[in-house]
Amino acid sequence: MATGTPTRALFMLFGGTGDLALRKLYPAIFNLYKKGSLSNDHFALIGLSRKELTDDEFRAKIIDSVSSEADQPEQAQAFASHFYWKSHDVTNNDHYSELSDLADQLEAKYATEGNRVFYVSMAPRFFGIVAQSLHDQGVLSTNGGFNRLVIEKPFGRDYASAKELNDALTSAFNENQIYRIDHYLGKETTQAIPVLRFGNPMLEAVWNHEYIKDVQVTLAEKLGVEDRAGYYDTAGALRDMIQNHTLQIVSYLAMDQPNSFVDTEIRREKVKALESMEIYDAEGVKQNFVRGQYGAGPDSVPYREEPGVPSDSNNDTYAAGKIVFNNHRWGDTPFYIRSGKKLADKQGRIDIEFKKPLVDIFAKGTKQPAELQGNVLSFYIDPKIGVTLSVNTKDSEQGLHTETIDLNYLQGADRAAQVPLPYERLFHDILTGDGTYFASWPEVAAAWKFVDPVQKLWDQEPGDFPNYESGSMGPKAADDLLARDDNQWYWPHNVH
Ligand SMILES: NC(=O)C1=CN([C@@H]2O[C@H](COP(=O)(O)OP(=O)(O)OC[C@H]3O[C@@H](n4cnc5c(N)ncnc54)[C@H](OP(=O)(O)O)[C@@H]3O)[C@@H](O)[C@H]2O)C=CC1
Ligand SMILES: O=C1O[C@H](COP(=O)(O)O)[C@@H](O)[C@H](O)[C@H]1O
């Protein structure tokens, strides 16, 4: 994935020995180093947290973290030699001036040209204070390089807290220096959506309410809460998966064509789409949203018995909803969204259901119960990567009988293994200064404004939990939500 001159950069990673850093961030940076997008000579990384570590102890963790990606052990060792550790409490101002001194030294040693990337991979309550302290305590580069601030999720827990956080960040950094991570935007299929839409006039021509019956976005997980109850029980599926990943995907599906494929233009169209979602009042939420919490299942304990989860938790581990757009493109075409833990299968997918032909001229020759079906365009996000299109054709028997088949492009294991990891793609874009696949503040704000009334109602009224079995497809009410419109979840019901 090396494009252009490799970027020189000094990284400062807050939360340097955290779970995310060790499992995802270092392997991603390592892949960029291997592929040459990051200058092999002119980069360094300062890992930061309160822990007291020597550089060698930190480097041993790095080697361990990237070893499965290394072609040979020496490669991982050479990479790790660029890593430095600094014990740093983000609430202690004195530590920032020490950090600034170390950054200056390493910048000179590695000739990183004043390019600084600050990655905050810590509990969200620290995002604002780190940004402000970096600015106020003089850690930002002033000699012509770039300063880029990367913020992990979650970005707030409602519109008000997100705005407060954003105000803190923008008092220290400009919007174009801020990279809000949403790792679903680093996934292959998400990035393919605009190309499939705007690169194929035959698709874009029918991408509207006249031809599309409904759109379904599913981010289903097989795993449960695992060891993240401390965070997850205060978040829930609506905040954890819908407000960010799901609505970002929706924005790519719903937006109008940007004038060109640059971040400013794309963001403008995404915001327009998100801002045209109808915001529900309490009655609207009851009609259009469904929540769930998993109960026991084969080999599974109920959510309320998971380690760290209160036995009376009212948290949602499943959320589904119907989005209506108040705009000309989408008219009365609903977008159905859902995400949940402990479901039957891990599937991230989008199913676009097109309307059936107005008249079925083949009906007489069709073996019952077959009849012409509406085409379905499915995008596979995870774990399969690809796209399929169901079309009507003739079966091979004597006489004229129709059947539905799938035209499919699903990546084989070899090609899928070559696909860059989401965090690798996102780091690449941070280094090149491309904000296309990061959430802008107006997008985040619009998503919170849509989600807030739902969360508010759910916080006020306890759910009737548990209401779905672990390993099932979620609460029955989510099927009813579509049935009311004479629709059905395409997956798994209609997948052939
Ligand atoms: N883990 C994951 O799979 C995912 C995580 N995220 C997000 O990534 C971020 C990090 O998550 P994760 O890595 O799991 O968290 P961890 O709890 O594993 O790591 C938190 C880090 O913060 C450091 N830290 C805590 N307090 C301070 C302080 N006062 N000063 C300096 N450092 C401090 C800790 O080190 P020490 O105690 O030594 O100070 C530790 O390195 C969060 O925003 C999370 O929501 C997002 C998606 C997935
Ligand atoms: O952001 C999150 O995403 C993961 C699912 O990500 P995936 O890439 O494995 O599909 C989810 O498990 C987690 O709860 C959430 O915080």
Side-chain angles (χ1 to χ4, degrees):
M1 198 171 56
T3 46
T5 316
T7 307
R8 300 176 178 219
L10 172 64
F11 295 87
M12 286 168 240
L13 208 158
F14 297 86
T17 51
D19 175 69
L20 184 74
L22 292 170
R23 279 193 310 110
K24 303 267 168 102
L25 305 185
Y26 299 135
I29 300 174
F30 180 65
N31 279 343
L32 292 178
Y33 167 87
K34 258 176 49 172
K35 294 175 187 174
S37 302
L38 177 63
S39 169
N40 282 10
D41 297 324
H42 303 289
F43 95 94
L45 186 146
I46 306 174
L48 301 143
S49 88
R50 292 165 304 182
K51 280 187 191 56
E52 300 284 351
L53 293 179
T54 63
D55 289 343
D56 283 344
E57 285 168 332
F58 182 42
R59 288 171 190 171
K61 287 182 190 293
I62 302 303
I63 291 170
D64 197 36
S65 158
V66 306
S67 59
S68 61
E69 305 285 326
D71 299 330
Q72 63 273 331
E74 295 74 27
Q75 193 179 36
Q77 282 157 11
F79 174 71
S81 70
H82 293 251
F83 283 62
Y84 296 81
W85 183 258
K86 180 174 179 321
S87 174
H88 179 105
D89 184 335
V90 295
T91 60
N92 185 331
N93 274 347
D94 295 339
H95 289 185
Y96 289 90
S97 43
E98 294 163 17
L99 174 60
S100 181
D101 292 344
L102 178 59
D104 289 345
Q105 283 168 33
L106 293 176
E107 201 153 83
K109 176 168 178 179
Y110 289 95
T112 51
E113 296 180 338
N115 295 332
R116 296 187 178 185
V117 175
F118 306 96
Y119 198 120
V120 194
S121 177
M122 303 178 65
R125 66 181 183 282
F126 294 120
F127 294 167
I129 189 162
V130 173
Q132 284 178 319
S133 307
L134 287 170
H135 176 267
D136 296 350
Q137 305 306 320
V139 191
L140 303 191
S141 161
T142 50
N143 55 0
F146 59 68
N147 288 295
R148 294 184 182 146
L149 176 72
V150 190
I151 294 295
E152 259 304 329
K153 62 166 286 206
F155 200 92
R157 47 180 293 105
D158 53 19
Y159 172 72
S161 58
K163 175 150 188 345
E164 199 178 314
L165 169 59
N166 199 59
D167 288 346
L169 300 185
T170 51
S171 69
F173 289 81
N174 298 326
E175 174 69 18
N176 65 7
Q177 296 177 307
I178 302 172
Y179 293 76
R180 297 176 193 81
I181 291 271
D182 183 319
H183 77 281
Y184 266 73
L185 298 185
K187 296 201 182 211
E188 172 86 343
T189 304
T190 315
Q191 298 198 351
I193 296 171
V195 184
L196 282 156
R197 281 191 57 190
F198 304 124
N200 297 295
M202 64 173 259
L203 284 183
E204 191 51 19
V206 293
W207 207 263
N208 57 52
H209 71 99
E210 285 183 48
Y211 292 94
I212 294 182
K213 178 165 76 78
D214 64 87
V215 175
Q216 305 181 8
V217 180
T218 300
L219 301 184
E221 295 188 79
K222 241 178 139 161
L223 291 176
V225 64
E226 309 303 298
D227 55 2
R228 294 172 68 219
Y231 152 72
Y232 191 78
D233 198 64
T234 63
L238 190 68
R239 288 192 183 101
D240 187 49
M241 295 292 287
I242 299 286
Q243 184 276 338
N244 38 47
H245 311 317
T246 313
L247 291 182
Q248 279 292 328
I249 291 170
V250 164
S251 71
Y252 276 106
L253 295 168
M255 74 182 191
D256 287 340
Q257 178 162 326
N259 292 339
S260 66
F261 206 69
V262 295
D263 48 11
T264 44
E265 298 289 332
I266 296 158
R267 287 170 167 191
R268 180 179 309 141
E269 295 305 334
K270 286 170 72 189
V271 172
K272 244 173 60 196
L274 290 169
E275 288 183 344
S276 59
M277 293 187 296
E278 179 159 332
I279 295 179
Y280 298 122
D281 60 13
E283 196 43 46
V285 172
K286 283 185 189 157
Q287 292 294 321
N288 294 297
F289 267 85
V290 170
R291 59 179 154 166
Q293 186 189 86
Y294 62 82
D299 308 322
S300 290
V301 297
Y303 175 71
R304 286 175 177 172
E305 288 175 28
E306 297 274 23
V309 174
S311 57
D312 60 350
S313 171
N314 188 43
N315 194 34
D316 50 298
T317 60
Y318 178 99
K322 170 177 163 180
I323 300 173
V324 176
F325 286 94
N326 292 317
N327 63 25
H328 182 69
R329 180 188 285 268
W330 293 113
D332 56 0
T333 295
F335 278 49
Y336 302 110
I337 54 176
R338 62 180 165 165
S339 180
K341 292 197 185 285
K342 283 278 178 184
L343 296 179
D345 201 5
K346 165 82 181 163
Q347 289 242 1
R349 60 181 297 143
I350 301 159
D351 298 296
I352 319 269
E353 296 201 299
F354 288 84
K355 293 179 179 173
K356 288 183 184 185
L358 285 177
V359 180
D360 184 348
I361 61 167
F362 308 105
K364 276 203 190 125
T366 302
K367 283 181 291 189
Q368 295 306 316
E371 59 180 70
L372 290 182
Q373 301 298 316
N375 304 116
V376 180
L377 179 66
S378 299
F379 295 86
Y380 292 79
I381 302 171
D382 216 347
K384 280 191 276 187
I385 296 176
V387 55
T388 63
L389 175 66
S390 80
V391 294
N392 296 303
T393 185
K394 178 192 155 314
D395 78 7
S396 39
E397 289 179 29
Q398 181 69 40
L400 183 60
H401 305 295
T402 62
E403 67 172 345
T404 305
I405 56 146
D406 275 349
L407 307 179
N408 78 47
Y409 166 67
L410 290 172
Q411 291 191 357
D414 283 355
R415 173 141 185 198
Q418 301 303 315
V419 170
L421 303 167
Y423 275 100
E424 181 184 336
R425 285 189 195 280
L426 297 177
F427 265 115
H428 175 274
D429 294 351
I430 292 160
L431 288 172
T432 55
D434 182 354
T436 302
Y437 296 110
F438 296 85
S440 68
W441 165 244
E443 293 163 48
V444 174
W448 275 124
K449 285 179 186 168
F450 176 74
V451 157
D452 272 358
V454 183
Q455 189 69 58
K456 187 172 165 208
L457 189 79
W458 289 0
D459 288 344
Q460 282 166 358
E461 297 181 3
D464 185 15
F465 293 154
N467 62 350
Y468 71 96
E469 194 185 332
S470 286
S472 72
M473 280 308 301
K476 181 179 169 301
D479 292 338
D480 299 341
L481 176 72
L482 274 68
R484 277 204 298 277
D485 297 340
D486 243 350
N487 285 324
Q488 197 179 34
W489 292 107
Y490 184 70
W491 176 71
H493 301 295
N494 299 322
V495 175
H496 22 86

